[in-house]
Amino acid sequence: MSANLSKAWTIARRDLRGRFVGLRLLIICLFLGVATLAAIGSLTSAITDELANRGQSILGGDLEISVAQREISSAERATLTAAGTVSETLRMQAMARVPDGSDTQLVELKGVDAPYPLYGDFTLADGTIAPPLSDKQIYVTPALIQRMSLKTGDTLLFGEAAFTIAGIIGDEPDRLSEGLSLGPVAITSIGGLRSTNLVQPGSLFESKYRLKLPASIDPAELGDRLEAQYKNAAWEVKTRDNGAPSTRRFIVRMGQFLTLVGLTSLVIAGIGVGNGVASYLRGKQGAIATLKILGADSGMIFSIYMLQILAVSLVAIFAGLIVGAIAPLVIIEVAGDILPIKPEFALYPLPLIVSAAYGLLIALIFALPPLSRAKLIPAAGLFRGDSRSWRLIDRPTWIAVGFSIAAIVALAVGSTDEPAFSMWFIVAALGILLLLSLLGIAIRWLASKAPRPKQPLFRLALTNLHRPGAQTGQLVVALGLGLTLFATLAAIQTSLTNEIRLSIPQEAPNFFVLDIPVERAEEFKATVQATASDAEINIVPTLRGIITEYGGQIVSELEEIPEGAWVLRGDRGLTYSADIPEGSEIESGKWWPADYNGPPLISVDSEQAAALGLKVGDSLTVSLLGVEIKSTVASLRTVNWRNFGFNYVLVFPPNVLAGTPHNVAATIQMDSAGEDGLLGSLPRNFPSISMIKVKEIASQIGTILDQMATAIGAAASIAIFSGIAVLIGAIAASRQSRVYDSVILKLLGATRFQILSAQAIEYAALALLLSAVALGLGLLGGWFVITQIFEFTWQPDWGVVLMTLGLGAVVTLGIGLLGSIPVLSAKPAQALREL
């Protein structure tokens, strides 16, 4: 056995002679697929490892307790102090003002204590450690310096306090765990923040308590004990292992999608491998026939060319792994600022091993069938160029292909945190390949049964679809995949773009205004109307609470949060109203009377009620300022979350919450010309408020979605390049038979233009038919990515999708015609001698 393999390798090596002529398509396809998957896996591993390694500094401690709208009591603090070193921070939105009142800016104001930070370094822009702040000093970010034209030493006003800018922030170690910010950051001492008098009963602020624990204490166990001990305190507990859960969820979601793109590239690469190997072996017909005449059996033939394919595949895979391993370094350098965290470069063996295994298995699956055909064809058939013999595949090959597919399934399911996702992708990929393959067979059969057109060019084009040696099946798969990718990418890109553009209604408010003292609500309204008489003002009470029980289920006893029940993730906004809120419609149950004064009732958003399994009459308990309010679900509402008004999942009757300390919030809709006047007057008269411009929110969200769309486009372009390579391979695989046809037609008097026109009609007919199929498949794939992976609304731009699909059809048609040029250039005498 080893002697035969040695002989086979010697022949294979001499046949290659250090060149890969004929196998370039295999190299390109495998290289692109493996490099894409390795790069995605390496980058995702780099980011998740960085999140894990920097968990303490990102969270700011080993354990974090966060509470909304209040600070913890002395008894609660004593419990935390007994466990370890405690650091306290307060965080809220506030309006920064310059002394002359000429400029204002919404800022995230943060107060820190002396132990801050427990982990990591709080540095200034020059790289030095930030000195402790007095109650009259403040550090600001470069963004605030730029927006308000400030400099170190300038005075900045917040509420009733004035601060001197003591420095510019370089690195805030726990920034990632703070989540999305609506404005630049400013940091002062806790005493300084309290001196602003912005922290009042009912104002919207968040207090956080980070603990540095001894090595002997497990943060997760301590967190569970504290939640059980203070189950009514509305605490949100995080550990260093998950300090930035929203960032981690985003990375997982993007990693899922990009992995899907990588697997798609590899599947497409596999088709290219199959076409490339088939084309290569057809070109080796004479050599294979000669070896068989000289005594080589089918096993030797298989071994020779299998060793060649494996050697070339390993070269392509190795090159792809090198590029995939160093790709994160390039991405980090080029796009590090837009990544949620900038990881350190390192080699991650697991994604490289997984990518290599995928590449090798894909190469085997698609290379084995043409290799099987090559070993089964008799020498006489090879010399005659009998195309029908190339359809033979023996049983052992089918078994080997089946085992390889099973290995890919096992690898995909075993190497992911969401095996169901990978399994559905594999099923979908196999389904699409099967559908396109069956469509190719159907087109070939229908073309053979269709009436013959009288026009010679159309008759020739129709015959090309079903003649012996026609590569209609391969062309249908290649064209179908390419056009499907174009449609999918266009649908995803335009849906992401429209997510923000179409989400903001034409009549959206200009401002959200938070933390208006409830006793000054009428005064606030009068001040706005004095500056902008045409302004429409909607004032609503605003509070924050946390759900502790629903339908008899204690939230703290849940092993995991139900799918889609985001309302259980920490504290949520809630309000009270005598009337049905604007933008809501009752779906079931009924609204309470305007003068209701009975036991606590509550109205719940119907989507969240469905996620929680709630129905009218069930119980729901909310912890508000440390007090639990157990209520009965009176109604379920359909909420229009896209009207950019104040929408709440939970709404109570006024009698339940009106006596609770709280502030009110307002939306202001007005002519945009008066915005600057309000920005100048309102913060001066109401120092506690925070004014949020809707356009700034839209801009932030738009930037994030644009970055997502760019990443998706860059990753998907690799799959498109693979699809183009597959199309070229399918054309190359049929070159020999087309050269023969071209030569015969030339001898019969056909011109190059006529031959090219017949092929153009053939490709155009396939592109037109497949465009309809690709549109359906592409829209289905885009819908799945947008709604199931990213959980956005499906709203593609149909015109752009159709234009992109049309452009893709033209591009693929052009590639097909360019691939026909060498066929037209074949000289009859030379071609006939070589056939």
Side-chain angles (χ1 to χ4, degrees):
M1 181 69 176
S2 60
N4 287 338
L5 281 177
S6 178
K7 290 179 183 178
W9 172 242
T10 301
I11 297 172
R13 181 170 48 81
R14 289 177 178 175
D15 191 31
L16 284 175
R17 294 173 183 172
R19 298 180 301 163
F20 301 130
V21 177
L23 292 173
R24 290 169 184 163
L25 179 63
L26 181 151
I27 294 173
I28 292 171
C29 288
L30 268 185
F31 168 77
L32 287 174
V34 171
T36 302
L37 202 57
I40 292 168
S42 295
L43 182 61
T44 303
S45 296
I47 295 175
T48 53
D49 279 12
E50 190 72 12
L51 286 172
N53 294 335
R54 291 175 52 190
Q56 290 173 319
S57 60
I58 289 172
L59 182 65
D62 297 304
L63 187 73
E64 177 189 273
I65 309 294
S66 60
V67 189
Q69 291 187 281
R70 74 178 182 91
E71 297 180 64
I72 61 175
S73 66
S74 56
E76 291 170 328
R77 189 178 187 103
T79 302
L80 299 184
T81 304
T85 304
V86 180
S87 172
E88 179 184 6
T89 64
L90 298 179
R91 174 174 173 256
M92 67 188 312
Q93 306 296 327
M95 297 299 293
R97 316 187 311 277
V98 294
D100 63 3
S102 61
D103 197 5
T104 60
Q105 172 65 49
L106 178 67
V107 168
E108 181 180 302
L109 183 60
K110 182 175 178 178
V112 301
D113 61 5
Y116 174 88
L118 295 176
Y119 292 100
D121 293 322
F122 178 30
T123 63
L124 300 180
D126 59 6
T128 60
I129 301 297
L133 289 160
S134 72
D135 292 349
K136 296 295 183 181
Q137 292 179 313
I138 197 166
Y139 294 132
V140 298
T141 57
L144 187 58
I145 291 287
Q146 182 179 5
R147 292 186 191 182
M148 300 187 72
S149 301
L150 301 170
K151 64 182 183 298
T152 302
D154 283 354
T155 299
L156 206 54
L157 306 180
F158 286 93
E160 299 176 7
F163 298 92
T164 300
I165 298 176
I168 300 173
I169 298 171
D171 181 33
E172 180 189 356
D174 57 339
R175 169 92 313 256
L176 197 61
S177 68
E178 300 285 15
L180 180 67
S181 173
L182 296 177
V185 176
I187 297 178
T188 184
S189 65
I190 282 188
L193 192 147
R194 288 179 178 138
S195 71
T196 64
N197 281 330
L198 296 177
V199 178
Q200 297 290 334
S203 60
L204 297 177
F205 70 95
E206 185 178 34
S207 57
K208 293 187 176 183
Y209 303 86
R210 281 75 176 262
L211 277 75
K212 185 176 185 178
L213 302 174
S216 59
I217 297 180
D218 180 66
E221 291 182 1
L222 176 60
D224 291 341
R225 288 204 312 270
L226 290 174
E227 282 190 295
Q229 182 177 354
Y230 295 99
K231 61 181 181 179
N232 299 328
W235 285 7
E236 183 178 0
V237 180
K238 296 180 186 175
T239 68
R240 64 193 179 203
D241 295 327
N242 195 24
S246 58
T247 300
R248 187 177 293 274
R249 284 195 298 270
F250 175 77
I251 295 300
V252 168
R253 292 291 185 185
M254 282 299 294
Q256 282 181 344
F257 173 73
L258 294 177
T259 300
L260 184 151
V261 172
L263 290 174
T264 301
S265 298
L266 263 180
V267 171
I268 295 172
I271 299 169
V273 168
N275 289 338
V277 171
S279 178
Y280 175 70
L281 293 177
R282 285 178 187 275
K284 293 289 184 179
Q285 284 185 166
I288 296 172
T290 302
L291 287 170
K292 288 192 173 186
I293 290 174
L294 293 175
D297 58 15
S298 60
M300 177 62 73
I301 296 297
F302 180 84
S303 297
I304 291 170
Y305 290 98
M306 187 66 195
L307 287 172
Q308 284 190 358
I309 302 304
L310 282 176
V312 174
S313 297
L314 289 174
V315 170
I317 290 171
F318 185 70
L321 292 178
I322 292 175
V323 171
I326 64 175
L329 178 63
V330 177
I331 295 172
I332 291 167
E333 289 299 320
V334 173
D337 291 340
I338 65 174
L339 293 175
I341 188 171
K342 193 170 183 178
E344 297 293 330
F345 174 72
L347 291 179
Y348 296 90
L350 183 59
L352 298 181
I353 293 171
V354 170
S355 301
Y358 273 128
L360 192 58
L361 289 170
I362 287 288
L364 286 174
I365 289 171
F366 288 94
L368 283 173
L371 283 169
S372 175
R373 299 182 191 111
K375 75 177 183 180
L376 293 175
I377 301 175
L382 288 167
F383 279 124
R384 287 196 305 268
D386 186 0
S387 60
R388 290 171 296 181
S389 301
W390 285 90
R391 301 174 191 171
L392 301 172
I393 300 178
D394 60 2
R395 184 178 178 184
T397 298
W398 284 120
I399 294 174
V401 169
F403 274 115
S404 298
I405 292 175
I408 283 185
V409 172
L411 187 62
V413 172
S415 62
T416 180
D417 294 332
E418 297 197 22
F421 174 82
S422 297
M423 182 61 75
W424 275 113
F425 168 76
I426 292 171
V427 170
L430 292 175
I432 290 174
L433 289 177
L434 180 61
L435 175 63
L436 292 175
S437 299
L438 292 176
L439 184 60
I441 294 172
I443 290 174
R444 187 165 182 163
W445 182 82
L446 289 173
S448 67
K449 302 299 181 183
R452 297 294 175 264
K454 295 182 179 180
Q455 219 287 335
L457 292 181
F458 287 95
R459 186 164 61 248
L460 181 59
L462 183 65
T463 305
N464 282 342
L465 293 174
H466 67 85
R467 59 176 171 74
Q471 299 293 312
T472 303
Q474 289 90 329
L475 284 172
V476 166
V477 172
L479 273 171
L481 285 173
L483 293 176
T484 298
L485 286 170
F486 276 113
T488 303
L489 183 59
I492 292 173
Q493 294 269 22
T494 57
S495 195
L496 285 175
T497 301
N498 289 338
E499 179 68 23
I500 182 62
R501 185 177 64 83
L502 298 181
S503 293
I504 302 179
Q506 293 296 322
E507 301 300 321
N510 301 69
F511 293 103
F512 293 128
V513 186
L514 308 178
D515 280 333
I516 306 168
V518 64
E519 67 276 5
R520 299 185 66 190
E522 291 302 319
E523 181 187 351
F524 172 86
K525 193 171 184 178
T527 303
V528 172
Q529 290 176 335
T531 305
S533 57
D534 63 333
E536 295 182 15
I537 307 164
N538 180 34
I539 295 179
V540 297
T542 179
L543 304 95
R544 297 191 72 81
I546 187 170
I547 297 176
T548 58
E549 175 271 334
Y550 63 93
Q553 172 64 59
I554 306 300
V555 174
S556 61
E557 295 177 357
L558 288 172
E559 292 185 4
E560 61 179 3
I561 292 176
E563 181 69 25
W566 49 263
V567 72
L568 297 182
R569 299 184 185 277
D571 62 290
R572 294 292 163 186
L574 50 93
T575 190
Y576 60 84
S577 178
D579 302 314
I580 299 174
E582 184 179 349
S584 292
E585 294 182 6
I586 299 297
E587 187 175 300
S588 62
K590 61 181 182 179
W591 198 256
W592 42 78
D595 57 352
Y596 179 77
N597 195 31
L601 299 177
I602 192 169
S603 178
V604 184
D605 166 52
S606 57
E607 289 185 1
Q608 287 302 295
L612 297 173
L614 280 176
K615 59 185 184 299
V616 173
D618 286 346
S619 65
L620 189 144
T621 304
V622 175
S623 179
L624 179 67
L625 299 177
V627 177
E628 285 201 339
I629 301 173
K630 186 168 185 176
S631 53
T632 301
V633 177
S635 64
L636 303 180
R637 292 169 294 116
T638 300
V639 180
N640 178 14
W641 295 100
R642 295 181 175 276
N643 65 358
F644 263 67
F646 284 115
N647 296 303
Y648 292 91
V649 174
L650 308 176
V651 181
F652 287 89
N655 72 303
V656 178
L657 299 181
T660 304
H662 68 281
N663 286 334
V664 297
T667 59
I668 302 175
Q669 186 174 329
M670 55 181 290
D671 191 315
S672 58
E675 288 182 354
D676 291 341
L678 280 185
L679 280 171
S681 63
L682 286 180
R684 207 168 40 242
N685 294 320
F686 300 87
S688 66
I689 67 170
S690 299
M691 297 182 68
I692 304 169
K693 293 184 71 171
V694 171
K695 289 181 180 178
E696 291 184 357
I697 299 176
S699 177
Q700 286 193 45
I701 299 173
T703 299
I704 294 172
L705 294 181
D706 285 344
Q707 291 169 355
M708 289 177 59
T710 300
I712 290 168
S717 63
I718 304 297
I720 290 176
F721 286 140
S722 298
I724 292 173
V726 169
L727 179 60
I728 294 172
I731 294 169
S734 64
R735 182 172 298 169
Q736 185 179 8
S737 57
R738 288 191 182 272
V739 167
Y740 178 84
D741 292 345
S742 175
V743 167
I744 298 300
L745 289 171
K746 283 182 180 178
L747 292 175
L748 294 175
T751 64
R752 289 187 177 187
F753 177 77
Q754 289 174 320
I755 297 171
L756 187 63
S757 296
Q759 293 188 14
I761 294 171
E762 175 190 355
Y763 291 142
L766 286 176
L768 184 62
L769 177 62
L770 290 170
S771 291
V773 177
L775 180 62
L777 293 175
L779 291 176
L780 181 62
W783 171 86
F784 178 81
V785 170
I786 291 295
T787 62
Q788 304 303 305
I789 296 181
F790 294 134
E791 299 180 357
F792 291 154
T793 304
W794 173 242
Q795 44 189 358
D797 188 319
W798 300 104
V800 174
V801 172
L802 292 175
M803 286 178 59
T804 303
L805 187 61
L807 178 62
V810 172
V811 169
T812 53
L813 178 62
I815 292 171
L817 295 179
L818 287 174
S820 301
I821 292 177
V823 173
L824 300 176
S825 302
K827 296 181 179 179
Q830 180 181 353
L832 289 173
R833 282 196 302 269
E834 294 177 352
L835 288 173

